[in-house]
Amino acid sequence: AVQSAGSAFWIAANDRRPFMRRLLQWDSDLAPADWFQAVTVHLYADPDRIAAEAGNPPVERLFALLMGRADAGVDRVLTDLTHRMPSKEIWITEWNPQGGSGWQPDHRELVTPAMNAHLTARMILAQLRHPAVTKSLYFMLNFSSPAFQAYVPEANGFEPMAAAAVLGWFDHAANGGATFKRVAAAHEESIGGLGGF
């Protein structure tokens, strides 16, 4: 396998910062070859970054912005990879909607367990729209590390985070012959405020 930078998920094409240009160029240079069968990619929405770019909006607005990144961002990067690598599998070897540092206290405040479950579902639905995706590893269910705790407090102790149930349901649906069709509601506005998107 080769690794994509996943730049279409979170970097606008007109971004001029040198490191961002390097990541965009990395993905632009990707091309299929006989020596590999798959391209890997990591997809992390970043609540802190999205909140900062949107002027630290209230939680309802932040949730809408995160849902937009979870849906449109996944579509954008997977469509790009499928176009560049038409004969290759796509392996999403790391992903979650809380960014790469989901253990930080500010993430816990920005993304509640309920929001996390909705965002997880949205990212899974977006992935399921792309048949080239053959592997997907949710990167927040590392039970051996408190940094990636997957349980939330309840009256009698701790219960699994709702995202665990969400993933189980979608795993069953994805492997049980279910189909998915995207429906756009009439007269709805597109979610804006995603930085360059």
Side-chain angles (χ1 to χ4, degrees), residues 63-133:
F63 179 63
L65 296 175
L66 284 165
M67 288 290 271
R69 181 62 57 87
D71 190 275
V74 170
D75 258 2
R76 191 169 47 250
V77 74
L78 296 181
T79 298
D80 180 66
L81 286 176
T82 301
H83 174 74
R84 294 180 192 284
M85 306 283 199
S87 60
K88 305 301 180 183
E89 295 180 3
I90 297 174
W91 298 350
I92 305 173
T93 48
E94 294 182 20
W95 73 272
N96 75 64
Q98 293 195 39
S101 302
W103 61 86
Q104 295 177 0
D106 48 359
H107 285 289
R108 294 284 185 196
E109 293 172 8
L110 286 174
V111 181
T112 66
M115 286 172 64
N116 189 58
H118 283 285
L119 293 165
T120 299
R122 197 56 166 173
M123 288 185 80
I124 282 280
L125 285 171
Q127 292 174 33
L128 289 174
R129 292 196 291 262
H130 297 268
V133 176

